[in-house]
Amino acid sequence: MKILGVDLGPMRPRRPRSPRRYFSEITHGQELYPLIILFGLRTVEQLDQNAFGVLAPDIQRAFHLSTKGLGAIIALTAFASLLIEIPLAYYSDRLRRVRLAVVGAAVWAIFGFVTGLASVLWFLVVARSGANIGRAVVTPTHNSLIADYYPVEARTDTYGFHSMSVPAGAFLGSAFGGLFAYLWGWKAPFLIFVIPTLVFVVLGLRMREPQRGRWERIAMGASADTVSTDEIPPSFAESVRILWAIGTLRRIWYSLPFLATAFIGLTVLTSLYYDRVFHLNVAQRGLVNAGTQPGALIGIMIGIPLASRLMIQDPGIGLRLLAVVGVFVAGAFALFALTPYLWLAITMNVFVAAIIALLTPGIFAALSLAIPPKVRSLGFAMASLFIIPGFAGIYLVTWIADTWNIRTGLLIMAPIFLIGSWIIASASFYVKSDINRVWTSTAAQAEVMFQRRAGLAKLLLVRNIDVHYDNVQVLFGVNFEVDEGEIVALLGTNGAGKSTLLKTICGLVEATNGAVVFDGRDATYAPPDEIAARGVVLMPGGQGTFPSLTVAENLQLAGWTQRRDKAGIAASTERVLDIFPVLRDRWDEPAGNLSGGQQQMLSLGMSFIMKPRLLMIDELSLGLAPAVVEQLLGIVADIRAQGTTIILVEQSVNLALELAETAYFMEKGEIRFHGPTRELLERPDILRSVFLEGAASIDTGSGMVTETSAPDTVEAPTSATSTSNGSLRADVVPTLGEVRLEVRGVTKRFGGVVALDDVGFEILGGEVVGFLGPNGAGKTTLFDAIGGFLELEGGTVVLGSGDDRRDVTNLAPHKRAWLGLGRSFQDGRLFPSMTVAETLMIALERKVEVRDPFAAAMWLPAVKASESKLARRVDELLELTGIGDFRDKLMRELSTGSKRIVDLACVLAHEPTVLLLDEPSSGIAQREAEALGPLLLRIRAETGASLLVIEHDVPLLLAIADRLVALDLGAVVADGAPTDVVNDPRVVASYLGSSGIAVARSGTTITR
């Protein structure tokens, strides 16, 4: 038969069988002895428990308890077992389960015997607590052992047979418990039942411990040596994350407070009901309770073949049936509580037991498939935590029985059970996907082990990964793999899911399906700190530091995974400071005071100190000057030479081509390309602009940069503009207006650091001026000074032209914005919970013509006209920037690059005359960066604004700038035509360096 496409062998036809053949078919040819012993242990466990239920009225009278008091004792003693069940289950996934099962049986036998010696209430509480603690091993060990003793196709048979032990034990415990108590008093059953328990304890010592997950691996085609290898057990935190990801379990857990109230309440009140309403003595109550158990046995016997057939169609159908069954069971509860006839009460009791038992084999078989083998014990046991809230319900039910009558207490359990059954029925929708997740993880690990035996060192294997953010799916069946010691480039359009994939690998984002295997070990749901300790390090682009901590503290914190190697940490830290001397200079400063590029250096330094086995770098060149990028290329190569495997997310295909030999290209959450990096250059269908679709490509060169050395000169347009069709032309000189922005002698210090030193320049109307310089040169600080975000130590800023010139040095940022100064930031400071259209509407707030709240509330024509006008302007901005497809997307759903374009559109909404753009191409894919140039020139042409652009993408600057201004150490070192500035020796030495690859990040050709 097949379950979810996995062939589990032929399904044997059901026909009359001899006992020998019956047991052979149940176990599918496997050893029968473990199933018999587990059956026996579960049966004798029920003897003590059911005897206590039958004898509840006698115990109540012996200790002078109210119904509420008896319920409190039952809840209190059960509470102890539930608390210890979780740690027992956790260690069951690590230790020998057979030994735990046998020891637990011995414990409940001893404390069951002690129950028969109790003469005072506190002694009874201790005895029942000890017995329940011993019984706590049953759920985590028995269910896990059965799944590993017997193959997948035998699960419904073996779980069904094991489930028969419950009614069998209940029958024997009730019948003989009542009989022994009738003959010798209520203590006698507890003293006698210890004997069969100890017999099975001795027999259980002969059981052998099975391999965890053996049959799942065999079902996925694993070889014999792979089958014999146990998985490394996960930590408790990882185990909980694995289990919480199982939707089936979550829904079952949600239902348990209601089901626990109903079933435990029924156990507590039934014997009291027969005693008070029908006046049965202890022997009669025992016989009545025993008489209900054949119904449960019949239900299980019918349920086994039924579950086997339903599992083929849908493993969750047994849970779904609970929605229908719950109605009948609730009705039986009500009829049981209200009937005046003993025979009808017994019939309803039998009916409830039979119907619930009918579904038991299928539910347990489905759970054994949906819970991964390495956490199966904990998975079955975690339910105990959710039973605890049900104790409040038991207290409520017993209080009602005391306050009104026993019938009312029983009746109230009918709706409680109905709610629980409907919740658990909803779990059926998750069973298929949960089972698929187990198969995928098992297959991925088997694949890694097979490859390693073949000599292929797969360090990382990602299989069929799906990821959702709330209800939005962002990754679709992603398959990704990395060999040991390899550098792999992960490229793609903005919003393709690259960063999400990296976060999934390192545990920051949980996958909703699929598997991540690192170094042969499943890491799909491991916590981020544990994944980091295994050697996986993520260097996030632009946000890899703790801004409130100093540089020293950040580097010190990075050594936590290597904290036992003090000398190694010190040597690595010194190496980082040698590579990035600016970090030594700013050792005691908060990381938040560093420039964006310097924070990127610190982030890479922290990653280096952690000595990762797998280093994932999200946008290596983000915010970095070419000279620094050139330096980082060598560092990354050195890290690889030391044996570190690297995954590089990089917007520049040029840089990826320089570093990596293998590349993956993603688009819209899927892998579109996998192969040698250079083959990407032959795929224009992949390397096209997506978010700036419609913007013309930059027509200044023939293709990608292929040289890594730099010739002596730079050929760049002295000026550029756009033609009617949007392409760039270097032979058209724009007509520039009079001075629109004047900066004179601007000076700014941070403590003892001079950030700006007597900076001055003029910007003409319609002029595009590019600003470049090494990280920390003062470029962003200069824009903050012009925008009014910093208080200056000296200098003036004059905005406007002609008669509108105005000194704005002391004006607040919002007042400068009203005067026509627009500013974008390196990190788009937008509203994450708003859509793109709503964000642009907020940016257009100054254009609102009617501000009367009463008029807005009444939706008067003037308000409607004003809103329509703003909506049209939003459409114009969306069209201008090419982001119309994202109109109704939430900002938090957008990638870094597309957020940048929305940020630009918001600035344009102010209709600025002077526009400050701080690294507009940062975080934007290479082809989109190439399309950004025509967009900026189109903005200049349509708005007439002057553009001041900070940019590390030199080809982009050369393509759009009329003039370049170079900064270093807070001072202007060069100001003039682009060709002259980029060939200035000081600019080459401090900023450009000698790597053509680092300079030419976009596809525009640069010859130097």
Side-chain angles (χ1 to χ4, degrees), residues 521-545:
R521 183 177 176 184
D522 188 0
T524 312
Y525 297 103
D529 60 308
E530 294 184 15
I531 293 178
R534 297 178 194 176
V536 179
V537 174
L538 171 64
M539 176 188 154
Q543 51 185 0
T545 63

Side-chain angles (χ1 to χ4, degrees), residues 329-392:
V329 172
F333 263 111
L335 194 55
F336 173 72
L338 298 175
T339 180
Y341 306 108
L342 176 61
W343 67 268
L344 186 55
I346 295 174
T347 302
M348 290 301 98
N349 207 344
V350 172
F351 175 78
V352 170
I355 293 298
I356 297 301
L358 178 71
L359 302 176
T360 300
I363 292 174
F364 275 95
L367 287 178
S368 75
L369 294 171
I371 303 174
K374 61 184 177 182
V375 292
R376 194 172 274 146
S377 295
L378 187 61
F380 279 106
M382 279 287 285
S384 61
L385 290 179
F386 295 85
I387 292 175
I388 292 175
F391 292 152

Side-chain angles (χ1 to χ4, degrees), residues 581-759:
V582 67
L583 299 181
R584 191 191 301 274
D585 296 339
R586 309 191 70 171
W587 182 253
D588 294 319
E589 286 196 44
N593 287 355
L594 304 181
S595 69
Q598 290 168 344
Q599 291 189 42
Q600 191 80 336
M601 297 177 197
L602 178 57
S603 182
L604 185 61
M606 293 168 66
S607 302
F608 179 79
I609 291 173
M610 294 179 73
K611 297 182 179 178
R613 291 192 62 194
L614 173 64
L615 175 60
M616 300 184 292
I617 304 175
D618 195 353
E619 300 191 26
L620 174 68
S621 64
L622 182 67
L624 295 181
V628 177
V629 174
E630 177 186 349
Q631 197 174 19
L632 294 185
L633 294 177
I635 295 171
V636 171
D638 288 344
I639 292 174
R640 179 194 185 180
Q642 295 173 11
T644 300
T645 304
I646 297 172
I647 299 175
L648 177 66
V649 170
E650 180 53 60
Q651 300 293 7
S652 171
V653 179
N654 295 351
L655 291 178
L657 180 62
E658 176 70 9
L659 287 171
E661 297 176 354
T662 302
Y664 285 82
F665 191 93
M666 295 186 68
E667 186 176 9
K668 297 181 180 179
E670 299 178 333
I671 300 293
R672 289 282 310 280
F673 171 86
H674 171 215
T677 310
R678 290 185 177 273
E679 288 186 9
L680 278 174
L681 305 183
E682 302 170 6
R683 296 290 302 274
D685 59 314
I686 291 179
L687 294 179
R688 67 183 185 275
S689 173
V690 175
F691 295 136
L692 300 181
E693 190 172 2
S697 60
I698 299 177
D699 188 17
T700 60
S702 59
M704 310 292 285
V705 174
T706 57
E707 297 183 28
T708 58
S709 61
D712 296 331
T713 61
V714 175
E715 296 178 2
T718 57
S719 62
T721 189
S722 61
T723 62
S724 59
N725 64 7
S727 62
L728 289 184
R729 288 182 52 191
D731 58 341
V732 178
V733 180
T735 302
L736 303 180
E738 54 189 36
V739 174
R740 188 172 290 173
L741 174 68
E742 185 178 355
V743 176
R744 296 196 298 261
V746 168
T747 301
K748 178 62 183 176
R749 295 182 179 86
F750 293 105
V753 178
V754 179
L756 295 175
D757 186 9
D758 194 27
V759 174

Side-chain angles (χ1 to χ4, degrees), residues 885-917:
D885 291 342
F886 301 99
R887 178 191 184 93
D888 297 320
K889 290 282 188 180
L890 295 176
M891 291 304 305
R892 65 169 176 264
E893 297 173 1
L894 301 185
S895 67
T896 301
S898 49
K899 286 178 182 176
R900 288 200 153 284
I901 304 305
V902 177
D903 182 46
L904 176 60
C906 288
V907 176
L908 294 175
H910 297 168
E911 298 181 359
T913 58
V914 177
L915 181 55
L916 311 179
L917 302 176

Side-chain angles (χ1 to χ4, degrees), residues 67 261-278 329-339 345 349 394 396-402 404-417:
T67 304
T261 298
F263 285 119
I264 299 178
L266 184 65
T267 301
V268 173
L269 296 183
T270 297
S271 190
L272 298 175
Y273 178 62
Y274 286 133
D275 177 60
R276 296 181 187 179
V277 175
F278 297 106
V329 172
F333 263 111
L335 194 55
F336 173 72
L338 298 175
T339 180
N349 207 344
I394 296 169
L396 173 66
V397 168
T398 53
W399 175 79
I400 291 173
D402 264 347
W404 283 279
N405 54 63
I406 197 77
R407 289 184 184 273
T408 306
L410 285 168
L411 186 62
I412 198 68
M413 289 188 295
I416 293 175
F417 174 81

